């Protein structure tokens, strides 16, 4: 109690988060296109950032498996034992193959999704920490932050 009494976690506030240009852009796009689905790539942190700012994240935490989503890319249920769980979903793009697997954490699903399968999902926006090198024929860059670290891509045709 004594050591915690001097700590004020809200001393700085949340402006560092809510004033970031990436968050402002996500809010702006989500307000204009509220029905559009988003997909966060290369890590699970951006999913939460998207949700916090109004984006409908397709790979947000699944408390229950979303079979409708998974059946689109896994119609035979080959990976049912992977996604049939409470799961954080980390997505990476692939040029040719779609694979699902678990990490050493039982609630972290790694999805390596091909551009072909990605187009079968109703994803309109990609949110990425870094420039994407695949699926460039299907998605165009619409936002890059000033440091060049975060990108938003929009699907060319949906």
């Amino acid at each position: 109690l004594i050591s915690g009494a001097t700590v004020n976690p809200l001393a700085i506030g949340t402006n560092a988060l809510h004033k970031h240009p990436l968050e402002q852009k996500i809010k702006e796009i989500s307000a204009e296109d509220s029905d559009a689905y988003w997909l966060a790539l290369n890590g699970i942190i951006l999913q939460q950032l998207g949700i916090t700012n109004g984006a409908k994240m397709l790979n947000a935490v699944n408390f229950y498996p979303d079979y409708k989503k998974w059946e689109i890319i896994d119609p035979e249920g080959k990976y049912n034992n992977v996604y049939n769980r409470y799961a954080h979903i980390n997505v990476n793009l692939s040029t040719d193959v779609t694979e699902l697997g678990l990490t050493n954490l039982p609630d972290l699903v790694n999805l390596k999704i091909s551009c072909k399968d990605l187009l079968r999902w109703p994803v309109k926006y990609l949110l990425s920490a870094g420039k994407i090198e695949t699926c460039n024929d299907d998605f165009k860059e619409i936002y890059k932050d000033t440091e060049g670290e975060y990108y938003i891509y929009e699907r060319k045709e949906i």
Side-chain angles (χ1 to χ4, degrees), residues 90-143:
N90 178 40
V91 178
N92 294 292
L93 298 179
S94 168
T95 54
D96 57 352
V97 66
T98 296
E99 297 175 337
L100 283 113
L102 295 172
T103 65
N104 57 346
L105 301 172
D107 66 343
L108 180 58
V109 172
N110 276 323
L111 169 61
K112 187 166 103 175
I113 190 167
S114 70
C115 298
K116 178 183 166 189
D117 282 341
L118 178 59
L119 293 177
R120 295 169 68 198
W121 271 357
V123 174
K124 186 166 182 185
Y125 298 101
L126 299 176
L127 181 57
S128 178
K131 195 167 184 69
I132 63 169
E133 302 297 327
T134 57
C135 302
N136 291 322
D137 292 340
D138 306 308
F139 290 87
K140 64 181 177 190
E141 180 184 311
I142 61 169
Y143 173 80

Side-chain angles (χ1 to χ4, degrees), residues 37-40 56-60 62 66 69 89 121-123:
Y37 283 101
W38 293 63
L39 193 67
K56 290 173 69 174
M57 301 302 292
L58 201 57
N59 63 322
N62 284 191
D66 181 359
K69 169 179 62 183
I89 305 165
W121 271 357
V123 174

Side-chain angles (χ1 to χ4, degrees), residues 3-23:
S3 65
T6 61
V7 176
N8 184 358
L10 299 178
I12 295 174
T14 59
N15 276 344
L17 292 174
H18 297 297
K19 298 294 183 186
H20 193 280
L22 175 64
E23 289 204 56

Side-chain angles (χ1 to χ4, degrees), residues 139-152:
F139 290 87
K140 64 181 177 190
E141 180 184 311
I142 61 169
Y143 173 80
K144 176 176 119 177
D145 75 347
T146 54
E147 289 91 31
E149 185 177 355
Y150 299 106
Y151 293 81
I152 298 175

Side-chain angles (χ1 to χ4, degrees), residues 14-73:
T14 59
N15 276 344
L17 292 174
H18 297 297
K19 298 294 183 186
H20 193 280
L22 175 64
E23 289 204 56
Q24 299 300 318
K25 190 64 176 178
I26 294 170
K27 284 179 188 175
E28 175 188 317
I29 293 170
S30 295
E32 292 173 8
D33 197 358
S34 61
D35 291 331
Y37 283 101
W38 293 63
L39 193 67
L41 304 174
N42 309 323
I44 61 173
I45 302 298
L46 288 179
Q47 305 166 16
Q48 303 310 315
L49 184 71
I51 290 170
T52 303
N53 291 288
K56 290 173 69 174
M57 301 302 292
L58 201 57
N59 63 322
V61 174
N62 284 191
F63 293 95
Y64 299 99
D66 181 359
Y67 285 112
K68 187 176 177 184
K69 169 179 62 183
W70 293 116
E71 286 172 355
I72 293 172
I73 62 171

